[in-house]
């Protein structure tokens, strides 16, 4: 059987949430050997997300984890607790015999189907370019003779692993073998989440370049415009309740 791709998606309630998750489910349902771990940022799982997942025809696990309010400020890394909850679930429910690859799939990015076939062969930790990120058209690992030797980036070039969350995948056995590897809040600077996590489990020299030696963009760090609800009535006027 194929190694299963475990895609970890933190998500939070907002006007565009159902649209984002619909777009993701339309992509993910086309990927064989796929398991979607959706972690809601909140004190409980919502009906909206539960129903969407039930209808999605994507094998999934639905979790929740609350971000403490003090961490909800700007400049703070997002979704730390949610990603860690998903790692905890994998460590509790998967074992040495399970073949899989773990990937962090934010709810607003754009994923090609080819990306998943590239990451499926990840032995330890694999990397590839990400489009529309870091103030550039793309960021990418620089590859020489099949090895990662540095990073092409326009932002914080001092990052040991100058990649976005969407730019790497980790073999499930590496996650299980490093039970203390988690995303950190304490001491983590903006943009350092990826590096702080990756340095716990790998070294730059052993990264596996994917996407034709990191020369193809197969995932995009798209961001959805904040929706204008300026014309919403103050009090409900419609005669029916409609989920959007
Ligand atoms: N997210 C979350 N809680 C929040 C803010 C963001 O769970 O309070 C999720 C969001 O749904 C997304 C991920 O964390 O899956 C990254 O957030 P965002 O896309 O806003 O970050 P950016 O694109 O700026 O890196
Ligand atoms: Mn985003």
């Amino acid at each position: 059987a194929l190694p299963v791709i475990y895609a970890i998606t933190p998500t939070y309630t907002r006007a565009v949430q159902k649209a984002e998750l619909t777009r993701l489910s339309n992509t993910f349902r086309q990927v064989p050997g796929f398991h979607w771990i959706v972690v809601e940022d909140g004190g409980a799982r919502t009906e909206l997300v539960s129903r969407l997942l039930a209808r999605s025809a994507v094998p999934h696990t639905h979790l929740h984890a609350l971000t403490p309010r003090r961490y909800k400020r700007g400049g703070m890394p997002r979704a730390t607790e949610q990603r860690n909850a998903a790692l905890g679930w994998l460590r509790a429910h998967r074992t040495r015999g399970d073949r899989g690859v773990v990937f962090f799939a934010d709810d607003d990015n754009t994923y090609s189907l080819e990306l998943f076939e590239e990451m499926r062969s990840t032995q330890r930790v694999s990397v590839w370019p990400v489009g529309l990120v870091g103030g550039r058209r793309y960021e990418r690992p620089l590859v020489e003779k099949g090895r990662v030797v540095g990073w092409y980036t326009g932002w914080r070039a001092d990052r040991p692993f100058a990649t976005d969350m969407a730019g790497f995948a980790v073999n499930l056995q590496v996650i299980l073998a490093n039970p203390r590897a988690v995303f950190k809040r304490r001491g983590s600077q903006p943009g350092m989440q990826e590096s702080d996590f990756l340095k716990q489990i790998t070294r730059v020299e052993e990264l596996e370049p994917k996407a034709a030696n990191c020369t193809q963009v197969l995932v995009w760090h798209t961001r959805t415009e904040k929706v204008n609800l300026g014309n919403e009535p103050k009090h409900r006027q419609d005669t029916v309740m409609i989920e959007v």
Side-chain angles (χ1 to χ4, degrees), residues 14 78 106-109 221-224:
R14 62 211 192 276
R78 301 193 175 112
D106 286 357
D107 64 3
D108 56 342
N109 293 337
H221 185 256
T222 44
R223 302 183 77 188
T224 301

Side-chain angles (χ1 to χ4, degrees), residues 40-45 64-67:
E40 290 196 66
D41 182 351
R45 306 184 304 180
H64 70 90
L66 185 67
T67 304

Side-chain angles (χ1 to χ4, degrees), residues 8-202:
I8 295 173
T9 300
T11 186
Y12 68 110
T13 300
R14 62 211 192 276
V16 299
Q17 184 181 33
K18 191 176 181 184
E20 305 280 34
L21 293 176
T22 297
R23 198 155 43 89
L24 251 56
S25 73
N26 286 343
T27 301
F28 294 167
R29 85 163 54 94
Q30 304 181 68
V31 183
F34 191 92
H35 187 119
W36 196 8
I37 306 179
V38 177
V39 191
E40 290 196 66
D41 182 351
R45 306 184 304 180
T46 64
E47 286 296 319
L48 184 150
V49 175
S50 301
R51 280 193 296 265
L52 186 139
L53 287 172
R55 279 199 318 270
S56 72
V58 180
H60 62 267
T61 296
H62 184 185
L63 308 173
H64 70 90
L66 185 67
T67 304
R69 225 190 15 235
R70 64 184 177 282
Y71 295 141
K72 281 276 192 184
R73 284 179 286 122
M76 282 283 194
R78 301 193 175 112
T80 303
E81 290 75 17
Q82 292 72 34
R83 295 190 186 103
N84 287 340
L87 294 175
W89 185 88
L90 285 167
R91 287 165 177 147
H93 294 93
R94 291 295 180 270
T95 61
R96 286 296 301 274
D98 292 311
R99 292 170 68 224
V101 174
V102 179
F103 171 60
F104 297 97
D106 286 357
D107 64 3
D108 56 342
N109 293 337
T110 304
Y111 305 95
S112 72
L113 298 177
E114 292 95 314
L115 177 72
F116 299 102
E117 297 327 310
E118 286 292 314
M119 72 172 78
R120 203 183 294 277
S121 59
T122 302
Q123 298 298 304
R124 294 190 54 80
V125 180
S126 62
V127 290
W128 53 79
V130 177
L132 313 179
V133 73
R136 294 213 172 162
R137 295 171 61 238
Y138 60 86
E139 287 183 340
R140 75 176 189 102
L142 297 170
V143 179
E144 271 174 25
K145 301 198 182 82
R147 294 289 169 98
V148 175
V149 296
W151 309 90
Y152 174 84
T153 176
W155 184 71
R156 283 208 74 159
D158 58 324
R159 290 174 290 163
F161 298 83
T163 179
D164 183 75
M165 210 56 82
F168 66 91
V170 183
N171 190 288
L172 174 65
Q173 291 307 322
V174 174
I175 297 293
L176 300 185
N178 294 276
R180 290 147 67 94
V182 291
F183 290 92
K184 295 187 159 83
R185 286 216 174 267
R186 288 254 299 284
S188 187
Q189 298 168 41
M192 292 302 263
Q193 283 228 70
E194 296 85 352
S195 283
D196 286 342
F197 180 71
L198 287 169
K199 74 185 185 201
Q200 299 174 67
I201 55 172
T202 189

